[in-house]
């Protein structure tokens, strides 16, 4: 029995020794890998914080930029729209640069989705042309005037609105911009 116990002790000692040797070989490498992964995690967390901060700053800048654009565009677009379509007025942009118009006949304010869904093609084209021309005016403020390229801007307009729109472009827009009209 003593011999069996001694054999068992040697087997256990050998097994434990192998485990200790494996531990001594593998643990330093695993500890180094753990340290490296910890450093990478810290780096990724700092990067994530930087991204979050950048996202906040960009959102603030975009919001302020949209607010400034809305204020600037409100005047220009509201001035242009009656020349293109006298049935609508008060083209107004909000801070997200969505816009509304007021129908003169009933005073109803139409949201951009209503403009897209409910106005005739000609009226919708005229509203969007006023928006584009207002953007061109604003982009040209304080610098070189940008050229304006229009592709059949009055294709869906009746004769009266066609004449009014072309007169406005020729007499007003062409003073500040090179206007190219394709048809």
């Amino acid at each position: 029995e003593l011999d069996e116990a001694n054999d068992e002790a040697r087997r256990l000692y050998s097994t434990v020794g192998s485990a200790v040797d494996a531990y001594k070989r593998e643990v330093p490498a695993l500890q180094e890998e753990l340290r490296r992964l910890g450093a990478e995690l810290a780096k990724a967390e700092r990067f994530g914080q930087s991204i979050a901060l950048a996202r906040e700053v960009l959102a603030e800048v975009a919001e302020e930029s949209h607010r400034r654009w809305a204020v600037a565009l409100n005047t220009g677009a509201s001035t242009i729209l009656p020349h293109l379509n006298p049935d609508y007025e008060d083209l107004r942009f909000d801070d997200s640069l969505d816009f509304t118009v007021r129908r003169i006949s009933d005073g109803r304010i139409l949201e951009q989705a209503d403009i897209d869904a409910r106005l005739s093609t000609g009226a919708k084209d005229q509203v969007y042309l006023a928006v584009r021309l207002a953007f061109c005016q604003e982009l040209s403020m304080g610098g070189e005037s940008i050229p304006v390229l229009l592709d059949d801007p009055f294709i869906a307009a009746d004769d009266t609105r066609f004449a009014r729109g072309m007169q406005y472009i020729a007499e007003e827009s062409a003073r500040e911009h090179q206007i190219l009209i394709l048809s």
Side-chain angles (χ1 to χ4, degrees):
E1 282 183 29
L2 183 59
D3 287 339
E4 285 178 19
N6 282 335
D7 288 342
E8 182 64 24
R10 279 191 292 278
R11 277 193 302 271
L12 287 175
Y13 182 75
S14 175
T15 302
V16 169
S18 295
V20 167
D21 290 343
Y23 173 84
K24 287 178 180 176
R25 276 191 320 270
E26 295 173 11
V27 166
L30 291 173
Q31 287 174 331
E32 178 58 26
E33 180 71 8
L34 185 59
R35 186 205 58 76
R36 190 185 64 74
L37 290 174
E40 288 295 320
L41 177 60
K43 184 178 173 182
E45 287 172 345
R46 286 191 310 274
F47 184 73
Q49 291 168 348
S50 297
I51 293 294
L53 179 61
R55 186 176 292 143
E56 284 178 34
V57 169
L58 286 174
E60 289 173 16
V61 168
E63 186 177 318
E64 179 59 29
S65 176
H66 284 177
R67 191 176 305 115
R68 282 193 316 261
W69 270 94
V71 168
L73 292 172
N74 284 338
T75 303
S78 288
T79 302
I80 296 169
L81 183 59
H83 295 285
L84 302 177
N85 189 326
D87 296 337
Y88 298 93
E89 64 181 359
D90 205 22
L91 180 50
R92 294 281 171 209
F93 292 83
D94 64 17
D95 289 349
S96 67
L97 296 182
D98 287 333
F99 57 86
T100 61
V101 296
R102 182 189 326 270
R103 187 179 315 170
I104 291 176
S105 62
D106 60 8
R108 183 169 176 224
I109 294 177
L110 301 173
E111 303 284 331
Q112 193 168 349
D114 294 331
I115 293 167
D116 292 339
R118 296 191 178 139
L119 292 186
S120 69
T121 302
K124 183 176 15 178
D125 287 352
Q126 291 148 12
V127 169
Y128 276 96
L129 179 56
V131 169
R132 287 193 308 271
L133 292 174
F135 268 96
C136 290
Q137 280 181 345
E138 186 59 28
L139 287 170
S140 296
M141 296 298 269
E144 190 172 322
S145 177
I146 63 171
V148 178
L149 177 64
L150 301 173
D151 186 10
D152 279 330
F154 302 108
I155 195 165
D158 60 34
D159 291 344
T160 304
R161 289 196 180 99
F162 174 84
R164 288 175 63 100
M166 288 300 288
Q167 181 179 1
Y168 176 78
I169 288 173
E171 293 176 0
E172 298 296 327
S173 292
R175 287 182 189 174
E176 299 175 19
H177 303 278
Q178 177 184 19
I179 307 286
L180 301 171
I181 298 178
L182 305 176
S183 182

